[in-house]
Amino acid sequence: AQSVTQLGSHVSVSEGALVLLRCNYSSSVPPYLFWYVQYPNQGLQLLLKYTSAATLVKGINGFEAEFKKSETSFHLTKPSAHMSDAAEYFCAVTSVGNQFYFGTGTSLTVIP
Amino acid sequence: DSGVTQTPKHLITATGQRVTLRCSPRSGDLSVYWYQQSLDQGLQFLIQYYNGEERAKGNILERFSAQQFPDLHSELNLSSLELGDSALYFCASSVASDRLYEQYFGPGTRLTVT
């Protein structure tokens, strides 16, 4: 079975500070992992994905994530937060059939 | 813009009623997925179609059904609606059903059941 756990439903950072959003996964098959962002009243937009190639994955808007098999983690980071990063972030893992299993989401607030 | 379109954007209806949500996938995508996003359940996979055939089922209620038509658009039918069915319903599409292929999400349909 596949699942993800996002630690921290709300994260606040100051503008310019490091962003760290945590995701741990459980998968019965080698996982494909994704981070999506959702802005208010909008759909989900793919930030980045891990599909068993390089363990450090770079995405859009300066985000990156590192796949750590030993820790079953796929944390999302950004060195310097911008006000425009305020949104809901979802980690997801896919099964063999490509159905997404989403975490409960982390709401990121950026403090000016 | 992901290229996936969903109609309507908003839907308000009463308990006991039936509604149909429509999704048009990106050009060339054969696989369509439906998801429900609610405050208490989060984002949940409902059902997947590939080239007109049901491929996988998730947490979809028996009151809900879906289909994918020959032109590849899909419809999600929700019947005997309850207050708890109020949610955002997303459609996503991908080229194929294998997980190698990225899913693109539509803007969603917000359903309010009163």
Side-chain angles (χ1 to χ4, degrees):
Chain A
Q2 283 73 32
S3 67
V4 294
T5 301
Q6 291 184 242
L7 297 174
S9 57
H10 298 276
V11 171
S12 294
V13 299
S14 297
E15 192 175 15
L18 172 72
V19 176
L20 170 60
L21 305 182
R22 300 178 187 275
C23 173
N24 288 88
Y25 70 90
S26 172
S27 179
S28 55
V29 298
Y32 283 16
L33 295 156
F34 301 77
W35 276 99
Y36 277 84
V37 61
Q38 185 180 28
Y39 298 101
N41 300 313
Q42 293 188 28
L44 281 75
Q45 181 183 4
L46 180 67
L47 278 177
L48 50 81
K49 63 181 180 181
Y50 166 78
T51 57
S52 74
T55 56
L56 182 62
V57 181
K58 294 187 184 298
I60 62 171
N61 301 338
F63 285 94
E64 62 182 39
E66 186 172 8
F67 172 72
K68 291 187 177 180
K69 184 177 179 181
S70 60
E71 299 177 8
T72 61
S73 69
F74 190 58
H75 302 330
L76 182 71
T77 60
K78 181 174 180 178
S80 176
H82 295 162
M83 296 298 295
S84 60
D85 295 327
E88 188 88 14
Y89 291 80
F90 293 92
C91 181
V93 63
T94 59
S95 68
V96 173
N98 208 23
Q99 301 94 40
F100 273 63
Y101 294 90
F102 285 92
T104 51
T106 297
S107 177
L108 176 66
T109 299
V110 182
I111 303 165
Chain B
D1 184 356
S2 67
V4 179
T5 60
Q6 290 186 247
T7 57
K9 288 192 72 172
H10 302 276
L11 199 49
I12 302 174
T13 189
T15 54
Q17 295 299 304
R18 173 190 169 96
V19 297
T20 297
L21 313 184
R22 182 187 170 103
C23 168
S24 293
R26 292 188 323 149
S27 176
D29 284 359
L30 299 178
S31 197
V32 169
Y33 309 77
W34 285 97
Y35 295 86
Q36 179 193 58
Q37 184 179 33
S38 61
L39 283 175
D40 55 343
Q41 302 271 4
L43 259 168
Q44 295 212 15
F45 166 70
L46 295 178
I47 196 165
Q48 175 196 3
Y49 278 81
Y50 177 73
N51 204 19
E53 293 190 3
E54 182 183 305
R55 183 58 63 97
K57 267 187 174 180
N59 299 321
I60 188 166
L61 299 172
E62 285 192 14
R63 300 183 286 109
F64 296 0
S65 65
Q67 54 185 326
Q68 186 179 26
F69 295 86
D71 68 352
L72 301 177
H73 91 271
S74 178
E75 293 181 356
L76 179 67
N77 301 295
L78 315 176
S79 61
S80 303
L81 285 167
E82 302 175 359
L83 294 177
D85 297 328
S86 296
L88 255 176
Y89 291 85
F90 287 106
C91 166
S93 74
S94 65
V95 169
S97 62
D98 187 273
R99 62 181 187 155
L100 278 171
Y101 300 98
E102 182 176 325
Q103 290 187 27
Y104 294 85
F105 282 76
T109 293
R110 182 172 294 280
L111 173 66
T112 302
V113 182
T114 62

